[in-house]
Amino acid sequence: MSWSLDLVPLPPCALLGGPPLSGLLWTVLLLFLWYCYRIGSDPPSHSGMLKSSSGRSSFSRSSSRSPINPIHSAPKASAAITMEAVEDEEGTESYLTPVLSHAPFPTDASAGSRKLYRALQEYAKRYSWAGMGRIHKGLRNQARNNDRPSIQKPHLFYLPDVPSIPFFPRDAHRHDIEVLEASYPKILAEFQAVYQRGIDTKLVWSYPGPKGQTVFPLYTAGVCVVSNCRACPCTYRTLLSLRTFINSNSLGSAGFWLLGPGATLGGAYGPTNTRLRCHLGLQTPAQCELVVGGEPQCWSEGHCLLVDDSFLHTISHNGGAEDGPRVIFSVDLWHPNVAAAERQALDYIFAPEQ
């Protein structure tokens, strides 16, 4: 059908050129009406919908076409809320959204893992499941992680999806490192005073691991050693001024670690990857070496090293008797990628033994 602009004539516009302008206006008007007609008649496009929404809608359509067999239908989800990793089509995971799940705890889990899992459930009932996804996954997979060959294998608890390297830069805990290094002279003086007193029955010395290693603890497994802290008041106050010191659960310790000449600590793994050990060098002979995850490093007096001891690590002192022991002040700090909600939950789960 042909349209003629002469059917509805408009009066000419002498100022802008007469009849040719009226024809242009009618052409634009007809194109606009045609565009509105096409927009109103076309079906809505689904190209901009999220993949998750399209997946749910296609599932709904397929479900509506096929009847549901009540015999083979899935059981009703329980009201217990647990945290499960939800994988989308790209393989990414979300651990911060609580979902309904009735998956049982692994039957091959050890008694210790079950105890920790019950503690997590108690914490979630008292507070919230929000932010507990990684802890929940770590407890479920702990037995599997212990059996896998790896250069990083904490034997007590492994928190998944925590980026880790054997040695961390100073920026990871700049404030606490600067506080420790500024207090180096006072910390060294208090250790020397305690060391010169020798074995004192009023103080607590421990001898973990192989021969040649001695520890003067201020905190052990989250518990303050009162007599030792009284002997080192400045060092104790320095510990309390640190922002990320782990002093509320059994994963955290602090104290003076001595390693005698000729002693070697074989390959070992730390208990968890949720912490970093900060070593402040007090007396560091040149023949001492620390190897973490295959990377060698040496201590320096008055300076700190941030170490992830969940990696396989060895320590050696190859000096002579004239060099004396290697002495460091070791402090356990939170891993910077452990969230505040996770730290609070871990304090509850790994509460110190009373």
Side-chain angles (χ1 to χ4, degrees):
M1 177 178 180
S2 60
W3 291 79
S4 176
L5 298 176
D6 297 334
L7 296 178
V8 188
L10 292 176
C13 181
L15 296 177
L16 298 179
L21 180 60
S22 64
L24 178 61
L25 292 176
W26 274 105
T27 303
V28 172
L29 178 61
L30 290 175
L31 289 175
F32 176 74
L33 293 176
W34 174 81
Y35 173 77
C36 293
Y37 169 77
R38 290 297 304 271
I39 292 297
S41 61
D42 287 346
S45 174
H46 298 276
S47 59
M49 296 180 65
L50 294 175
K51 288 190 293 182
S52 59
S53 301
S54 63
R56 288 193 295 267
S57 60
S58 62
F59 176 78
S60 302
R61 290 194 297 269
S62 62
S63 300
S64 62
R65 287 195 299 268
S66 59
I68 300 177
N69 188 348
I71 299 177
H72 301 286
S73 61
K76 183 179 179 181
S78 62
I81 295 181
T82 58
M83 301 295 298
E84 289 290 348
V86 181
E87 295 193 12
D88 62 10
E89 295 179 359
E90 282 82 6
T92 58
E93 298 181 349
S94 172
Y95 301 103
L96 301 181
T97 304
V99 295
L100 290 174
S101 173
H102 46 273
F105 196 72
T107 56
D108 58 345
S110 63
S113 296
R114 291 182 177 276
K115 179 181 178 182
L116 296 177
Y117 187 71
R118 286 193 298 269
L120 174 62
Q121 290 178 318
E122 294 173 1
Y123 173 84
K125 291 178 181 179
R126 179 175 297 186
Y127 299 102
S128 172
W129 276 107
M132 299 298 102
R134 293 196 300 183
I135 297 179
H136 182 269
K137 182 182 178 182
L139 292 176
R140 290 176 58 85
N141 298 335
Q142 186 60 42
R144 189 187 315 166
N145 292 331
N146 289 338
D147 295 335
R148 65 185 177 93
S150 175
I151 199 171
Q152 184 188 25
K153 191 169 62 175
H155 57 80
L156 182 58
F157 175 66
Y158 177 78
L159 186 65
D161 304 310
V162 174
S164 293
I165 51 178
F167 295 97
F168 273 70
R170 295 170 55 91
D171 291 340
H173 286 302
R174 177 171 293 276
H175 172 270
D176 290 351
I177 286 179
E178 290 178 349
V179 169
L180 287 170
E181 291 180 349
S183 304
Y184 162 72
K186 296 179 181 178
I187 295 175
L188 177 61
E190 288 187 339
F191 166 75
Q192 290 175 340
V194 170
Y195 187 69
Q196 291 173 359
R197 290 167 59 180
I199 301 300
D200 191 336
T201 56
K202 296 181 181 180
L203 302 178
V204 178
W205 291 82
S206 60
Y207 306 91
K211 184 179 180 181
Q213 182 176 217
T214 308
V215 180
F216 184 80
L218 301 184
Y219 275 82
T220 177
V223 178
C224 176
V225 183
V226 178
S227 59
N228 291 5
C229 290
R230 287 175 178 171
C232 303
C234 293
T235 305
Y236 174 69
R237 286 193 292 268
T238 300
L239 281 177
L240 297 184
S241 67
L242 302 180
R243 295 175 179 174
T244 58
F245 172 45
I246 305 176
N247 61 351
S248 301
N249 65 58
S250 59
L251 302 176
S253 298
F256 300 98
W257 290 68
L258 291 73
L259 187 67
T264 299
L265 305 182
Y269 298 95
T272 180
N273 66 327
T274 61
R275 74 181 189 187
L276 297 180
R277 288 214 139 163
C278 182
H279 291 178
L280 173 64
L282 300 181
Q283 181 175 321
T284 58
Q287 295 80 9
C288 297
E289 186 180 49
L290 169 66
V291 181
V292 181
E295 299 183 15
Q297 190 63 266
C298 295
W299 296 275
S300 179
E301 295 180 2
H303 298 279
C304 291
L305 277 180
L306 277 179
V307 182
D308 187 344
D309 68 337
S310 64
F311 286 86
L312 182 67
H313 59 276
T314 59
I315 303 174
S316 59
H317 184 350
N318 299 318
E322 65 279 2
D323 296 321
R326 180 233 56 183
V327 184
I328 61 170
F329 182 60
S330 176
V331 184
D332 290 335
L333 308 176
W334 283 110
H335 192 290
N337 292 98
V338 178
E342 293 173 324
R343 296 179 185 183
Q344 181 179 348
L346 292 173
D347 282 343
Y348 185 90
I349 295 171
F350 293 97
E353 296 291 340
Q354 299 297 331

